[in-house]
């Protein structure tokens, strides 16, 4: 059985990208975002969807740095 930890797409440059990501669109509270990202990471997520529009890029970066 394939799990989230080993389900990748091989990109044109040979790099692997996870097929399943964790979206953080509506997570604006830094504490909640940090907790959710930590839980997602513990469960195998390695792709975190973010965009400048979400206005939470710095909080995501800090949450990942804290892992």
């Amino acid at each position: 059985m394939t799990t989230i930890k080993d389900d990748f797409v091989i990109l044109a440059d040979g790099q692997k990208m996870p097929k399943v990501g964790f979206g953080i669109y509506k997570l604006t509270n830094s504490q909640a975002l940090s907790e959710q990202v930590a839980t997602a990471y513990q469960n195998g997520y390695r792709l975190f969807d973010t965009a400048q529009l979400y206005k939470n890029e710095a909080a995501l970066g800090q949450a990942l740095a804290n892992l």
Side-chain angles (χ1 to χ4, degrees):
M1 180 169 101
T2 302
T3 69
I4 193 172
K5 291 183 180 182
D6 57 17
D7 196 12
F8 293 91
V9 170
I10 305 296
L11 302 175
D13 66 357
Q15 295 293 316
K16 295 190 304 185
M17 182 178 81
K19 287 184 180 178
V20 179
F22 186 80
I24 61 163
Y25 171 54
K26 298 237 176 174
L27 291 173
T28 55
N29 176 288
S30 293
Q31 181 64 32
L33 185 144
S34 185
E35 291 169 4
Q36 293 294 319
V37 166
T39 299
Y41 191 85
Q42 290 168 0
N43 284 287
Y45 285 90
R46 296 298 183 266
L47 172 66
F48 293 88
D49 174 44
T50 189
Q52 189 175 17
L53 173 72
Y54 303 169
K55 298 185 183 349
N56 58 8
E57 294 168 291
L60 174 61
Q62 187 60 55
L64 292 171
N66 290 340
L67 294 176

